[in-house]
């Protein structure tokens, strides 16, 4: 159709060109609009019955989109031109991933285990079994026997309700989300530096920055639309310089001015060396540091011990490259820093991420256009897991070790403050598993996540989840590997089938409306949770039902009151206000009804002892800082410069296991592929697991592209075809997406090893953020069979691009052609 | 002047702390955070032992720069036992006892550093004072971790 659009572009194969067509722009300019659209089955806009407003759900960028509905089925998507996040663009996972909603594999009825087998049942039977077992355990063993493990993919309203049920109703401290695997370190790093979660950046910083530094952040694959914004700056006048820290030759590395490829596990050493240069050369804003920070003297002293020559040895990166990167960072006028899993899932995760904060803070690069930090999220609604308290923290960034905060929360919930567990930090999932292993946790309620594939050391995880004495409830949309181990499986509705809000890493809140009915008897997660609370008979102090709402908008109104006056203040938003236009950035209050783009302007933080979310932790041991210590350190609430010493990784290569194994993701898949593996274009682009090795390592061992290798660590074995890629020598890479749901069974076959990268990873976590470490395991490889010319099933468009052999390029063909309308109206 | 006595005593307590941390780590291999953090913290004490031995020479002492704390064969037996007992609930009580013990040892060592720092100041021994100022915070952090972890672990062990 193209009514009102300046240009109509031909259809683009968005598998072959994941970032689509360039729309260049210069510093301070407005990012041009490009509306991306994909409709299935050759349908046109004229065929669509209605468009329903939502945002993207298969990554963390938070791009506004509309869902196309025809005959009460989802038939496609279109980017929202008016949205501040994407200006109309969508990534490949958004264009094609929605098809999983219509998959015939969807769970449509509750399942219950009878004589060892999962059989279909009705909702009453299933929910009575869940609530009944929970009540029985509460009576027999108390709340410490009950635990919850949720997601980064539900909606804000569901997290808030879950937190209320667990903390305010049941009174258990054992609450966490799979955000522990993706963004726990983002939150922890912000809590260390600014004493509070909440991102000090805005996506428009890309429009203004003259230097963009990406630390362990393969933005090109994890947030394709944000990377498209960067690519458009790079294609325009006066492009920014890019610093990339990554052991792989990712698309970001290929676009970088300086690419540092450190040995896995040495990030703290590397960033300390950068700080050594920046501080040593005086490239710092002394006035800002004096006025708005504490801890500079200690930081200066600490990093003095990390000259580039020392880091060059430890990280195996040339000292001159470190100096060059430091010079660029040190001379940046508008510095945007972003961080992701290369730091968060590696050794000393929080210390490394905090050191990145330190770079921006000592340079005074905060709260101004182009000057920001994005401690990225990995999942679409991870920010809400943290805000609403479904990661175990108290909601709205309340401080569990501040009694006044707990009392305030108890007032809002109308419960006794003693009911809300705050005697110690919340129990993170890895510790929950330990309690299940010991037998003190007997009930685990999993919502929208798949720990039987995503947690480290899977043999151990399976043995814990399969225990007879553990009652496992799994609420999901497919029969995942985890659901196959459950006692009760509850079929849930997903995105497009229920209403709610979610928030991205630059604090933009989107409303996602229900477009179609869920399949069969599947129900919205919120409805299931409220049903659970009522069946348990959870009450407030006056005997009224604890959960006082019955729909998403009611939950949102409840959340608004809970967030009022706190940093993540939603009190000025309504569902109506979120309809029709762009997403809105919190804080959004009566005073700032249109939201707030920049926080931490002029060095104003949320770090005052009475107000802050966290007093911080010891960077090595993880021990929480006591209130009195924090008050002495930071009485007026400045930014905290925390120094971090480097410690060697806990598992180092040996003669037996000479490689370092890192796991990661690919552009075309999300998590354990439960959705993306059921979208034909995405599945075809990356159909099976592969392993990456450098050309030198492959040549030394006589290995070639496509050879079938067995990768092993002391914990397990995985078989994968070899992709000879631009990864640094001595390192192996395995994508973590591939599990067993589309093979036979839910675990590796007895012979031949497994497919899930987490068969190999070790059980170890960052003591500060409690995020498991997926990127420093010692491993070895053996060839099982030669490739005979067939390449590895790895994409060529991404970090897994081949450097040897003749590998045909990854394309999607006619089925992957999507419309792009450049210059569409906004 | 009894500075050499203070150094010798501290060398002994830091050396002992390495043993305490290493064996505690081995006993709780199935408690992964305890296992790793204790090893990391033992690294501090090992460093302190080396530095005390070095500075001890200026005070006529001949102290071993290597901590005696690597328990070798015993360690692997402890780790194996810990793994085998991983499914039982009694290790929780053992962990509390170990944390309590570690807290007392680390607090004692911290007091020894206090004594050394004060004495070095009194005797105007700048280098010794610098050493104490570098190392003392780390023994405090060891004690704080033991205290903090006790807080986390005790409710689940005792009240469940």
């Amino acid at each position: 159709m193209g009514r009102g659009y300046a240009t109509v572009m031909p259809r683009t194969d968005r598998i072959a060109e994941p970032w689509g067509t360039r729309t260049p722009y210069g510093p301070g300019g407005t990012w041009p609009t490009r509306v991306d659209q994909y409709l299935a089955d050759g349908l046109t806009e004229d065929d669509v019955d209605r468009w329903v407003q939502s945002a993207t759900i298969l990554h963390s960028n938070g791009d506004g989109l509309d869902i196309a509905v025809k005959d009460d089925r989802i038939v496609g998507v279109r980017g929202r031109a008016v949205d501040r996040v994407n200006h109309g663009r969508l990534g490949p996972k958004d264009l094609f991933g929605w098809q999983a909603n219509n998959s015939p594999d969807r769970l449509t009825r509750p399942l219950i285990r009878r004589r060892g087998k999962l059989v279909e049942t009705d909702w009453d039977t299933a929910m009575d079994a869940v609530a009944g077992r929970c009540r029985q355990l509460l009576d027999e063993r108390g709340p410490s026997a009950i635990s919850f493990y949720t997601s980064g993919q539900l909606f804000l309203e569901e997290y808030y309700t879950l937190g209320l049920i667990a903390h305010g109703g049941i009174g258990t401290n054992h609450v966490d989300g799979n955000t522990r695997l993706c963004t726990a370190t983002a939150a922890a790093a912000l809590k260390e530096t600014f004493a509070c979660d909440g991102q000090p950046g805005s996506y428009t910083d890309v429009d203004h920055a003259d230097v963009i530094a990406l630390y362990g952040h393969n933005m090109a694959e994890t947030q394709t639309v944000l990377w498209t914004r960067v690519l458009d700056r790079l294609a325009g006048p006066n492009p920014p310089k890019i610093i990339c820290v990554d052991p792989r030759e990712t698309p970001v590395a290929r676009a970088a001015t300086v690419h540092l490829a450190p040995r896995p596990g040495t990030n703290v050493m590397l960033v300390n060396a950068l700080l050594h240069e920046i501080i040593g050369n005086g490239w710092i804003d002394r006035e800002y540091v004096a006025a708005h920070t504490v801890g500079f003297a200690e930081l200066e002293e600490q990093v003095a011990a990390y000259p580039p020559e020392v880091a060059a040895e430890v990280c195996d990166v040339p000292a001159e490259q470190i100096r060059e990167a430091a010079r660029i960072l040190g001379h940046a006028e508008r510095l945007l820093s972003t961080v992701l899993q290369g730091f968060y899932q590696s050794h000393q995760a929080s210390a490394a991420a905090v050191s990145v904060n330190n770079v921006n803070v000592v340079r005074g690069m905060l709260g101004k256009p182009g000057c920001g930090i994005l401690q990225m999220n990995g999942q679409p609604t991870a920010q809400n897991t943290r805000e609403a308290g479904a990661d175990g923290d108290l909601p709205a960034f309340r401080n569990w070790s501040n009694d006044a905060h707990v009392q305030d929360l108890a007032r809002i919930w109308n419960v006794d403050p003693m009911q809300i567990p705050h005697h110690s930090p919340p129990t993170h999932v890895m510790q929950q598993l330990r309690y299940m292993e010991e037998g003190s946790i007997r009930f685990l309620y999993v919502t929208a996540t798949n720990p039987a594939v995503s947690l480290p050391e899977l043999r151990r995880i399976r043995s814990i989840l399969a225990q007879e004495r553990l009652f496992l409830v799994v609420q999901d949309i497919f029969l995942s590997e985890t659901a196959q181990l459950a006692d009760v499986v509850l079929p849930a509705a997903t995105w497009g089938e229920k209403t709610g809000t979610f928030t991205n890493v630059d604090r933009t809140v989107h409303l996602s409306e229900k477009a179609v009915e869920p399949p069969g008897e599947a129900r919205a997660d919120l409805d299931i949770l409220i049903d659970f609370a009522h069946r348990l008979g959870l009450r407030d102090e006056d005997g009224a039902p604890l959960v006082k709402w019955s729909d998403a908008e009611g939950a949102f109104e409840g959340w608004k009151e809970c967030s009022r006056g706190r940093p993540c203040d939603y009190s000025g938003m309504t569902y109506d206000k979120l309809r029709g236009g762009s997403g809105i950035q919190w804080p959004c209050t009566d005073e700032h009804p249109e939201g707030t783009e920049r926080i931490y302007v002029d060095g104003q933080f949320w770090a005052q002892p009475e107000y802050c979310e966290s007093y911080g932790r010891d960077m090595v041991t993880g021990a929480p800082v006591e209130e009195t210590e924090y008050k002495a350190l930071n009485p007026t609430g400045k930014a905290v410069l925390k120094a971090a010493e480097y410690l060697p990784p806990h598992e180092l290569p040996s003669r037996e296991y000479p490689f370092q194994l890192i796991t990661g993701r690919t552009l075309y898949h999300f998590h354990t592929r439960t959705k993306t593996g059921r979208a034909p274009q995405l599945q075809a682009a990356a159909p099976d697991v592969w392993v990456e090795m450098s050309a030198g390592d492959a040549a030394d061992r006589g290995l070639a592209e496509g050879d079938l290798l067995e990768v092993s660590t002391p914990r397990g074995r995985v078989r994968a075809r070899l992709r000879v890629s631009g990864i640094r020598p001595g390192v192996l890479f395995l994508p973590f997406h591939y599990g067993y749901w589309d093979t036979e069974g839910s675990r590796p076959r007895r012979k031949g090893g497994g497919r899930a990268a987490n068969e190999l990873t070790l059980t170890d976590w960052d003591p500060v953020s409690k995020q498991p470490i997926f990127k420093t395991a010692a491993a070895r490889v053996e060839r099982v069979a030669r490739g005979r010319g067939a390449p590895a099933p790895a994409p060529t468009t991404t970090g897994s691009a081949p450097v040897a052999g003749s590998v045909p390029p990854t394309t999607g063909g006619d089925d992957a052609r999507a419309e792009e309308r450049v210059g569409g109206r906004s | 002047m009894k500075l050499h006595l203070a150094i010798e005593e501290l060398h002994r307590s830091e050396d002992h702390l390495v043993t305490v941390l290493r064996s505690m780590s081995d006993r709780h291999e199935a408690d992964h955070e305890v296992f790793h953090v204790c090893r990391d913290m033992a690294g501090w004490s090992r460093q302190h032992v080396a530095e005390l031995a070095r500075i001890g020479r200026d005070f006529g002492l001949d102290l071993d720069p290597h901590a005696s704390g690597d328990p070798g064969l015993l360690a692997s037996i402890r780790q194996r036992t810990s793994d085998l007992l991983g499914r039982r609930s009694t290790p929780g009580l053992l962990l509390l006892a170990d944390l309590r013990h570690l807290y007392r040892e680390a607090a004692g060592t911290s007091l020894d550093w206090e004594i050394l720092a004060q004495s070095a100041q009194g005797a105007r021994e700048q280098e010794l004072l610098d050493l104490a100022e570098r190392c003392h915070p780390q023994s405090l952090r060891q004690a704080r971790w033991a205290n903090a972890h006790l807080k986390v672990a005790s409710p689940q062990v005792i009240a469940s």
Side-chain angles (χ1 to χ4, degrees):
Chain A
M1 295 297 292
R3 274 193 305 268
Y5 292 91
T7 331
V8 178
M9 297 293 293
R11 287 164 181 262
T12 308
D13 176 350
R14 292 296 303 281
I15 294 294
E17 294 177 58
W19 308 284
T21 305
R22 292 284 60 71
T23 55
Y25 71 122
T30 303
W31 190 28
T33 299
R34 186 191 88 194
V35 176
D36 296 353
Q37 174 178 301
Y38 177 77
L39 294 173
D41 310 328
L43 297 174
T44 69
E45 280 184 335
D46 282 345
D47 300 315
V48 174
D49 296 339
R50 60 180 184 276
W51 294 93
V52 180
Q53 184 175 346
S54 179
T56 52
I57 198 82
L58 293 170
H59 52 78
S60 67
N61 210 49
D63 305 315
L65 61 67
D66 289 318
I67 302 172
V69 180
K70 180 180 169 53
D71 300 332
D72 295 317
R73 267 172 76 91
I74 298 178
V75 292
V77 288
R78 179 176 69 194
R80 288 178 63 81
V82 293
D83 201 273
R84 61 175 303 278
V85 171
N86 54 321
H87 295 212
R89 287 165 190 75
L90 294 175
K93 279 185 288 204
D94 315 317
L95 291 165
F96 309 118
W98 57 267
Q99 296 168 99
N101 274 39
N102 299 339
S103 163
D105 299 347
R106 287 287 301 274
L107 289 169
T108 55
R109 294 200 66 193
L111 307 174
I112 194 162
R113 194 167 292 279
R114 296 275 187 242
R115 291 193 203 90
K117 284 205 158 39
L118 283 171
V119 296
E120 289 194 349
T121 186
D122 57 79
W123 272 102
D124 259 337
T125 308
M127 290 308 291
D128 279 344
V130 173
R133 182 64 184 142
C134 183
R135 173 50 65 196
Q136 184 191 10
L137 280 166
L138 276 173
D139 294 345
E140 283 171 12
R141 309 177 72 99
S144 61
I146 310 296
S147 73
F148 295 88
Y149 184 47
T150 188
S151 174
Q153 297 164 52
L154 296 183
F155 292 155
L156 168 60
E157 293 77 358
E158 292 158 342
Y159 294 136
Y160 182 54
T161 305
L162 175 65
L164 168 61
I165 291 170
H167 285 132
I170 291 169
T172 178
N173 210 16
H174 309 324
V175 182
D176 203 358
N178 67 9
T179 48
R180 191 61 56 193
L181 320 178
C182 82
T183 65
T185 301
L190 295 168
K191 287 178 192 171
E192 291 304 320
T193 306
F194 305 110
C196 190
D197 196 349
Q199 296 283 355
S202 172
Y203 285 163
T204 60
D205 288 335
V206 172
D207 307 345
H208 299 276
D210 66 340
V211 175
I212 303 176
L214 301 100
Y215 298 88
H217 180 195
N218 185 4
M219 186 195 282
E221 298 194 50
T222 52
Q223 290 86 17
T224 54
V225 170
L226 190 58
W227 181 243
T228 302
R229 199 168 189 149
V230 175
L231 287 177
D232 285 346
R233 275 295 317 278
L234 290 174
N238 302 313
K241 291 193 170 83
I242 306 287
I243 308 278
C244 170
V245 179
D246 202 311
R248 294 171 75 212
E249 199 186 80
T250 60
V252 176
R254 292 194 282 270
T257 317
V258 179
H259 172 207
L260 307 170
R263 269 195 191 105
T266 65
N267 294 328
V268 166
M269 174 61 77
L270 183 69
V271 186
N272 274 349
L274 294 172
L275 282 164
H276 173 100
E277 288 297 288
I278 290 167
I279 294 175
N281 286 299
W283 298 324
I284 59 174
D285 185 338
R286 289 191 187 279
E287 225 170 281
Y288 187 91
V289 167
H292 303 302
T293 72
V294 295
F296 180 74
E298 215 183 312
L299 177 69
E300 187 175 28
E301 195 188 322
Q302 174 85 258
V303 300
Y306 294 82
E309 282 70 23
V310 172
E313 274 300 303
V314 174
C315 308
D316 189 29
V317 171
E320 193 36 54
Q321 265 192 17
I322 298 174
R323 288 214 165 78
E324 174 64 10
R327 246 191 315 272
I328 292 172
L329 295 168
H331 289 99
E333 286 171 18
R334 291 172 306 279
L335 171 65
L336 172 62
S337 302
T338 76
V339 193
L340 198 61
Q341 311 303 8
F343 274 44
Y344 300 164
Q345 294 184 338
S346 194
H347 177 59
Q348 292 196 283
S350 301
V354 161
S355 301
V356 175
N357 290 344
N358 289 344
V359 173
N360 276 68
V361 173
V362 297
R363 300 227 52 228
M365 300 257 169
L366 282 174
K368 296 178 285 192
C371 302
I373 303 167
L374 293 169
Q375 296 281 355
M376 290 304 297
N377 297 337
Q379 295 180 81
T381 73
Q383 189 69 42
N384 306 108
T385 313
R386 280 145 50 188
E387 288 167 8
D391 66 343
D393 283 342
L394 297 183
F397 300 160
R398 283 180 176 79
N399 188 344
W400 60 264
S401 45
N402 183 333
D403 283 342
H405 287 199
V406 177
Q407 275 165 21
D408 183 50
L409 183 62
R411 174 188 61 78
I412 292 166
W413 285 351
N414 194 28
V415 298
D416 185 334
M418 275 294 280
Q419 174 67 18
I420 301 171
H422 58 283
H423 46 268
S424 65
T427 315
H428 58 96
V429 65
M430 300 304 291
Q431 190 62 46
Q432 287 185 22
L433 285 161
R434 176 70 189 129
Y435 292 154
M436 289 169 217
E437 197 171 36
E438 283 179 348
S440 59
I441 288 180
R442 297 288 174 99
F443 177 98
L444 170 63
Y445 191 149
V446 176
T447 37
T449 188
N450 192 9
V453 179
S454 54
L455 289 178
E457 205 178 340
L458 287 180
R459 193 166 47 185
R460 170 171 179 262
I461 302 301
R462 283 188 294 264
S463 81
I464 293 172
L465 296 180
Q467 289 177 99
E468 193 74 28
R469 65 185 173 186
L470 178 74
F471 192 85
L472 177 64
V473 182
V474 175
Q475 182 168 312
D476 212 318
I477 68 170
F478 294 111
L479 193 68
S480 67
E481 292 83 343
T482 308
Q484 292 178 43
L485 301 170
D487 294 282
V488 175
V489 179
L490 304 173
T494 185
W495 168 92
E497 300 162 357
K498 59 180 186 176
T499 294
T501 54
F502 56 95
T503 308
N504 72 357
V505 75
D506 87 337
R507 293 172 279 109
T508 303
V509 184
H510 285 108
L511 176 66
S512 179
E513 302 234 50
K514 178 174 172 174
V516 297
E517 291 297 326
E521 295 175 25
R523 297 171 65 191
D525 294 274
L526 182 67
D527 297 343
I528 305 172
L529 290 169
I530 293 174
D531 185 3
F532 174 60
H534 291 336
R535 280 179 209 255
L536 273 180
L538 300 180
R539 306 265 151 195
D540 69 8
E541 270 205 307
D542 299 322
L546 179 74
V547 181
K548 299 191 172 21
W549 43 84
S550 53
D551 63 5
E553 190 159 7
F556 187 76
E557 290 299 315
W559 162 249
K560 278 165 60 178
E561 282 319 300
C562 182
S563 74
R564 188 183 292 278
R566 295 299 301 160
C568 51
D569 195 327
Y570 285 60
S571 60
M573 287 183 209
T574 61
Y575 271 21
D576 266 346
K577 204 161 160 179
L578 290 165
R579 284 193 180 105
S582 167
I584 298 172
Q585 285 173 295
W586 65 249
C588 176
T589 60
D590 297 340
E591 224 173 281
H592 300 282
E594 301 313 313
T596 310
E597 174 155 36
R598 289 202 166 73
I599 60 171
Y600 301 163
V601 177
D602 299 328
Q604 298 303 305
F605 303 105
W606 292 316
Q608 300 79 11
E610 313 71 42
Y611 189 71
C612 70
E613 181 186 11
S614 166
Y615 303 132
R617 287 177 181 266
D618 186 297
M619 296 305 287
V620 169
T621 69
V625 174
E626 298 283 336
E627 184 183 356
T628 45
E629 283 175 81
Y630 183 77
K631 280 183 170 159
L633 167 82
N634 194 17
T636 59
K638 299 178 176 186
V640 182
L641 288 165
K642 280 216 169 171
E645 66 191 276
Y646 166 74
L647 299 173
H650 293 143
E651 187 168 286
L652 290 165
S654 59
R655 282 181 61 164
E656 200 183 350
Y657 297 103
F659 284 97
Q660 280 188 296
L661 170 70
I662 58 178
T663 72
R665 48 226 83 224
T666 185
L667 188 148
Y668 301 101
H669 285 302
F670 186 55
H671 278 215
T672 58
R673 284 168 56 253
T674 48
K675 279 188 173 178
T676 52
R678 290 175 169 100
Q681 296 89 338
L682 301 172
Q683 171 62 10
D688 205 346
V689 67
W690 70 90
V691 57
E692 287 174 40
M693 183 189 279
S694 73
D697 286 333
D700 287 350
R701 287 162 179 75
L703 302 173
E705 170 76 32
D707 283 357
L708 182 64
L709 305 188
E710 183 164 280
V711 187
S712 47
T713 70
R715 294 158 291 277
R717 298 172 298 152
V718 165
R719 284 188 177 186
R721 300 240 169 230
L722 172 64
R723 164 58 45 87
V724 180
S725 79
I727 196 167
R728 63 160 289 137
V731 181
L732 304 173
F733 172 89
L734 272 177
F736 79 102
H737 305 291
Y738 301 90
Y740 305 100
W741 61 261
D742 52 346
T743 66
E744 292 156 33
S746 61
R747 57 183 68 214
R749 287 187 301 269
R750 212 164 283 250
K751 281 182 190 169
R755 185 158 87 136
N758 280 317
E759 304 293 347
L760 307 178
T761 44
L762 70 162
T763 305
D764 186 8
W765 56 84
D766 179 55
V768 179
S769 68
K770 316 298 182 189
Q771 183 155 353
I773 295 169
F774 293 97
K775 295 188 192 274
T776 50
R780 67 165 176 245
V781 295
E782 278 171 88
R783 178 164 50 208
V784 180
R786 287 186 188 278
R788 299 177 197 286
T796 62
T797 44
T798 58
S800 57
V803 296
S806 56
V807 179
T810 299
T811 57
D814 281 345
D815 290 342
R817 290 192 196 282
E819 279 184 49
E820 290 183 326
R821 295 167 190 170
V822 175
R825 75 193 150 186
S826 60
Chain B
M1 289 286 266
K2 299 184 194 63
L3 274 174
H4 66 287
L5 289 180
I7 296 171
E8 204 170 8
E9 174 57 19
L10 197 47
H11 180 269
R12 194 201 57 77
S13 18
E14 287 285 12
D15 186 64
H16 180 59
L17 207 45
V18 173
T19 312
V20 168
L21 284 161
R22 286 293 303 223
S23 49
M24 182 169 167
S25 169
D26 292 335
R27 264 198 300 279
H28 301 283
E29 204 204 5
D31 267 298
H32 300 85
E33 187 168 327
V34 174
F35 178 77
H36 288 297
V37 171
C38 283
R39 280 174 137 69
D40 287 343
M41 292 193 303
W44 287 338
S45 287
R46 201 172 287 116
Q47 181 72 23
H48 297 174
V49 166
E51 297 217 31
L52 285 163
R54 186 183 49 76
I55 210 162
R57 285 201 296 271
D58 302 343
F59 296 85
L61 293 167
D62 179 21
L63 301 170
D64 190 345
H66 301 292
S68 52
D70 190 5
L73 180 64
L74 204 56
S76 50
I77 294 171
R78 281 203 201 98
Q79 288 182 23
R80 182 92 187 102
T81 318
S82 150
D83 246 6
L84 291 172
L85 290 176
R87 282 292 172 82
R88 310 246 302 263
S89 57
T90 36
L93 286 170
L94 178 64
L95 176 62
L96 295 190
D98 277 350
L99 286 165
R100 187 173 179 280
H101 178 63
L102 171 62
Y103 179 82
R104 288 161 53 102
E105 292 292 338
T109 309
S110 157
L111 285 178
D112 289 345
W113 280 111
E114 197 77 75
I115 293 166
L116 190 72
Q118 290 297 102
S119 323
Q121 203 151 23
R124 290 174 178 66
E125 289 286 351
Q126 187 60 45
E127 205 189 334
L128 197 58
L129 181 61
D130 290 347
L131 179 69
E133 283 179 349
R134 261 199 326 276
C135 301
H136 187 195
Q138 289 171 334
S139 36
L140 281 172
R141 289 163 75 185
Q142 290 166 331
R144 276 196 205 115
W145 176 81
N147 185 38
H149 209 78
L150 200 82
K151 276 191 184 174
V152 172
S154 50
Q156 193 71 12
V157 175
I158 307 289
S160 73

